[in-house]
Amino acid sequence: MKLYVDTSEPEAVISLQEQESTLAERRFTADPTLGRQLLEQLDDMLKELGKAKQDITAIDVDPGPGHFMALRTGIVTAQTLAQALGLPLPKVQPRYE
């Protein structure tokens, strides 16, 4: 199961996907507690699916462009989860338009 984190827009998105299918997704307005929001939304989705964080096998994060603090929070949250779960760190390569 893959975790996807996107904090590049004012409306943050976090989703759980399996084989190109979205199992659960949350969209919410990012605020100064974005890191906590991401983890709470993730916990809620996992609970609804009857899954645990250990069921996450990959993590992907949108590198932006976007608001610096929101991007940094999303990227650091994704990387910290990956490290805690023993997964490869998400690659963060900027997109240039």
Side-chain angles (χ1 to χ4, degrees), residues 12-65:
V13 179
I14 186 169
S15 66
L16 292 168
Q17 304 167 353
E18 201 163 67
Q19 298 179 358
E20 305 303 320
S21 177
T22 300
L23 303 175
E25 179 180 276
R26 296 286 189 281
R27 295 176 177 271
F28 54 94
T29 302
D31 68 21
T33 64
L34 179 57
R36 181 174 30 199
Q37 286 178 300
L38 290 168
L39 294 174
E40 288 172 351
Q41 296 292 337
L42 175 59
D43 285 343
D44 288 347
M45 289 190 302
L46 290 169
K47 189 175 184 179
E48 286 176 13
L49 295 171
K51 304 276 186 178
K53 286 186 180 99
Q54 291 73 18
D55 294 318
I56 298 170
T57 57
I59 299 177
D60 193 14
V61 62
D62 189 324

Side-chain angles (χ1 to χ4, degrees), residues 2-15:
K2 180 170 80 173
L3 169 65
Y4 174 71
V5 178
D6 180 357
T7 56
S8 65
E9 301 287 333
E11 181 181 63
V13 179
I14 186 169
S15 66

